[in-house]
Amino acid sequence: MNALILHSVCMRKVQTASILVSVALSVALALVLGMIYGGVMRGIDVSSQRTGADLLVVPKDARTHLDDGALLYTGVPAPFYMTEDVEQAIAELDGVEATSSQFFSQTLNASCCSAGEETRLIGIDPETDFVVSPLLPEGSSDALGEDEVIVGSGVTGIAGGALFIYGKPYDVVGTMAESGGDLDHSIIMSMDAARRISAETDGLKTTWERYGSPDELVSAIMVQATDDAEAYEKLKIKLNLTEGISYVENAKTAEQVTEQLRSVFALLAGAAIVMMVITLLQLFARFYSCAWDRKSELALYRAIGASKRDVRCLIGGEIALVVMAGLVVGFALGVILYQAILGLLQDSIAFPFIGMDAGAVALLVAAIAALFAIISALSVAWPLYQIGKLDPSLAMQQGDID
């Protein structure tokens, strides 16, 4: 039976190829949509829970040159600074529960750091920090010595529990949980250590000529607001009126990023639905008339002893083989498209992303496979019913006449 099914499929190369391509494209689009959507939603959710800050205060120059998503989810990839006394002024405002400043030193690469890819170097104040601490494993110390660092979940190049930065080893004393944002590819050290490295870096001298000594500068101030909604709105008004700074609102930015991505998701969903409809129509068209077009062939099988069940298994086996081949090709193609489309999105829109875990991906794959099994069953139900009514002698006589 298996050999007969394979032979029947191969004899109809054009029809088989068109159905296989339709199934593969439908499966690939469904997989891409599911994995990207799942990763984005998970990233935004985790980032909102773990960021800890309601507002991110930055120098006004940074807000002029970078959009909110880039500032919130990729850090400050450009040298913008403000004096550290701004934090004290903000901390005294009504509606502020806590503040903590960060110093963005520079982006490291293999030329100066043992990390294998671009990694941000960020200085924090361990005494006031409420952003990095929640990402550390329970029981970890968030205190940082001059030669100690904490790394993000995506940082590589750690050897023997240490990282080398400009030739100097730093002990890795903690690894942060995945956040979906810039901290996943960041090295965290004390603010004094980060400032010292920046002051000694030749390429940053023009920056300090413009802003002053790094010992008195910060790049961003994390603000945790009180639960009082009215006080929170007044706080934002006061920050808007403060000269030289601007702020990014975590919840609002997450919603804006989600809105930007919804059009992409809608496009992918629309394409996937269209492809599924085309696939269903092609499957139905291929097998709907088979009880008539192939009646002589099927009647011959009945005449030589094949039962109705055998003939139905033949037709059902053909559709199962084509759809299974399409699923395999589609899942492989989907993985390739996923990487390509995700890269394009991340180049154009800054957003937090945490890939779906293996269990969730397996569940998604199973759901897609089940969906196409249902589509296949629907498309072949009527042809199988017709085949059951086929009379062998009459079908062979009509076949001779036709």
Side-chain angles (χ1 to χ4, degrees):
M1 179 64 72
N2 292 338
L4 190 59
I5 291 172
L6 183 60
H7 174 74
S8 182
V9 168
C10 293
M11 285 294 291
R12 298 166 177 83
K13 294 183 178 65
V14 175
Q15 290 177 318
T16 299
S18 64
I19 293 174
L20 192 150
V21 169
S22 295
V23 172
L25 289 176
S26 302
V27 169
L29 287 171
L31 183 65
V32 169
L33 173 64
M35 291 182 69
I36 292 181
Y37 182 81
V40 169
M41 292 301 103
R42 185 183 180 198
I44 289 176
D45 183 52
V46 171
S47 179
S48 298
Q49 293 175 10
R50 293 178 174 174
T51 297
D54 299 301
L55 300 170
L56 169 66
V57 177
V58 294
K60 193 171 286 290
D61 287 351
R63 187 71 180 278
T64 302
H65 291 83
L66 301 165
D67 62 36
D68 291 356
L71 288 168
L72 186 61
Y73 298 128
T74 66
V76 184
F80 298 113
Y81 297 94
M82 54 190 165
T83 55
E84 61 183 355
D85 57 4
V86 175
E87 181 185 359
Q88 183 59 39
I90 292 174
E92 294 173 356
L93 295 175
D94 291 338
V96 175
E97 186 172 304
T99 63
S100 183
S101 58
Q102 294 185 353
F103 181 89
F104 291 83
S105 176
Q106 56 197 284
T107 299
L108 304 172
N109 52 42
S111 65
C112 62
C113 175
S114 60
E117 57 186 31
E118 286 195 348
T119 306
R120 294 178 182 85
L121 182 60
I122 301 174
I124 65 168
D125 181 355
E127 293 183 2
T128 62
D129 172 71
F130 54 81
V131 175
V132 173
S133 300
L135 298 177
L136 294 174
E138 217 173 303
S140 299
S141 172
D142 54 1
L144 285 171
E146 277 291 308
D147 300 328
E148 295 178 335
V149 296
I150 295 169
V151 298
S153 59
V155 174
T156 59
I158 302 171
L163 270 173
F164 283 82
I165 302 174
Y166 288 107
K168 180 179 178 179
Y170 289 82
D171 293 329
V172 177
V173 295
T175 300
M176 294 178 283
E178 193 172 12
S179 69
D182 66 296
L183 290 178
D184 293 341
H185 299 280
S186 298
I187 297 174
I188 307 298
M189 58 173 52
S190 69
M191 194 174 298
D192 289 340
R195 285 168 167 171
R196 175 179 51 76
I197 290 175
S198 295
E200 295 172 354
T201 302
D202 292 337
L204 297 177
K205 286 184 177 180
T206 55
T207 300
W208 311 136
E209 290 174 0
R210 176 184 177 185
Y211 288 101
S213 171
D215 293 338
E216 302 172 353
L217 302 175
V218 295
S219 301
I221 300 169
M222 310 296 171
V223 178
Q224 198 172 55
T226 61
D227 295 331
D228 188 330
E230 184 178 348
Y232 181 60
E233 292 302 319
K234 289 181 179 178
L235 170 62
K236 291 193 291 183
I237 292 173
K238 290 178 182 177
L239 290 176
N240 282 327
L241 296 174
T242 303
E243 187 177 354
I245 66 169
S246 187
Y247 69 86
V248 177
E249 195 171 0
N250 191 345
K252 184 178 178 181
T253 301
E255 180 59 31
Q256 289 174 341
V257 169
T258 305
E259 282 293 331
Q260 286 179 293
L261 291 168
R262 276 179 185 152
S263 59
V264 179
F265 296 146
L267 182 63
L268 287 174
I273 291 171
V274 169
M275 287 304 305
M276 287 179 190
V277 171
I278 292 173
T279 301
L280 177 61
L281 292 175
Q282 283 190 313
L283 287 169
F284 191 75
R286 161 77 186 272
F287 292 98
Y288 174 74
S289 59
C290 68
W292 179 260
D293 295 339
R294 298 168 61 183
K295 59 182 178 294
S296 296
E297 174 194 347
L298 299 177
L300 178 60
Y301 294 146
R302 291 293 310 280
I304 61 177
S307 65
K308 291 181 180 180
R309 181 179 180 278
D310 291 333
V311 177
R312 284 172 174 166
C313 287
L314 172 64
I315 301 302
E318 289 180 23
I319 192 171
L321 180 60
V322 174
V323 172
M324 285 178 62
L327 285 170
V328 172
V329 174
F331 287 134
L333 179 61
V335 172
I336 297 172
L337 287 177
Y338 165 72
Q339 297 292 343
I341 293 176
L342 180 60
L344 289 174
L345 284 175
Q346 290 176 326
D347 286 341
S348 57
I349 304 173
F351 58 90
F353 186 87
I354 298 178
M356 298 169 63
D357 56 35
V361 173
L363 187 61
L364 175 63
V365 169
I368 294 173
L371 175 62
F372 277 87
I374 293 172
I375 290 175
S376 303
L378 290 175
S379 65
V380 82
W382 178 250
L384 292 181
Y385 172 74
Q386 287 182 309
I387 290 168
K389 296 169 59 179
L390 191 66
D391 180 83
S393 60
L394 181 60
M396 292 185 74
Q397 291 173 17
Q398 289 177 334
D400 292 337
I401 295 170
D402 293 340

